[in-house]
Amino acid sequence: MSNNDFTQLLRLLDIRFKNPKLLEQAFLHRSYLNEVKMDMQSNERLEFLGDSVLSLVISYYLYALRVTDSEGELTNLRAHLVKTKSLAEAAGRLNLGKYLKLSKGEEISGGRNNPQILANTYEALLGSLFLDAGLEVVKGVIEKTLLPLFEKELKLGPPKDAKSSLQEVVQQKLKLSPHYKILQTHGPDHAKQFIVAVFVGGKEMGRGRGNSKQIAEEQAAKQALQIIED
């Protein structure tokens, strides 16, 4: 795939890549490389980097914007912004699925529209852009593609969900923060299932299951709230 294939995307983002191979790598799904047996890296390492860069940019943005929020409130709002659903929506608006290289199996099973794959690809794109152009350029892309989805929340804070409610209850009652841990993952990439437990002070308080880590965490938080409030 040549850099010309990304013309529309680059125009949307108003950016250029000095190293087109970094951009290509952002769209190389693991399944494709397993199928064609190419000696190349998938986008997973870029996804790892992009996840950290995204967290940093959003954290700094919220810190500067919401000057009266507590640490817990900022954490909750960041979690509301940086989740599979919102990253997949941002990726969808950029039509990132169009550029993915997938195995035939992933293609048939709808991988180009899979929210988890799209969210991962969005993070991989940020990771590649960070390496190619630096933090300020990534910051501009995030402000253009992700933050506009949350104008109301950025003004008023996130709507209350189970994770947010659990965070508040635990901090108020125990002066602690809940900790989430993935216990198991199983199933193919396009239908992966996560089992997550939430711990408070080292004690397991609830478990959840879902087709994304966020959904499983939400379920675990609901169970923990029931236990704490009973």
Side-chain angles (χ1 to χ4, degrees), residues 11 28 35 51 54 61-62 74 84 103 107 121 125 133 135 143 145 151-152 158 166 185 196 199 206-207 217 225 227:
R11 187 181 297 120
L28 285 176
E35 187 172 87
D51 175 69
L54 176 60
Y61 184 88
L62 296 179
L74 291 172
T84 298
S103 68
E107 186 82 56
T121 304
L125 176 61
L135 188 61
E143 290 177 348
T145 61
E151 291 183 11
K152 182 178 178 181
L166 181 63
T185 60
V196 172
F199 297 83
R207 288 195 182 193
E217 288 177 347
L225 280 170
I227 293 172

Side-chain angles (χ1 to χ4, degrees), residues 62 74-83 86 163 214:
L62 296 179
L74 291 172
T75 299
N76 291 341
L77 182 52
R78 183 181 62 191
H80 181 69
L81 271 59
V82 183
K83 60 185 179 184
S86 55
K163 284 185 66 177
Q214 288 80 7

Side-chain angles (χ1 to χ4, degrees), residues 48-83:
F48 164 80
L49 179 60
D51 175 69
S52 297
V53 173
L54 176 60
S55 181
L56 173 62
V57 170
I58 294 296
S59 296
Y60 180 73
Y61 184 88
L62 296 179
Y63 181 87
L65 177 69
R66 298 184 60 85
V67 295
T68 62
D69 281 9
S70 67
E71 177 192 1
E73 290 168 331
L74 291 172
T75 299
N76 291 341
L77 182 52
R78 183 181 62 191
H80 181 69
L81 271 59
V82 183
K83 60 185 179 184

Side-chain angles (χ1 to χ4, degrees), residues 46-47 50-51 54 82 87 118-128:
L46 288 175
E47 175 199 336
D51 175 69
L54 176 60
V82 183
L87 301 188
L118 287 174
N120 293 346
T121 304
Y122 181 82
E123 291 180 331
L125 176 61
L126 296 182
S128 66

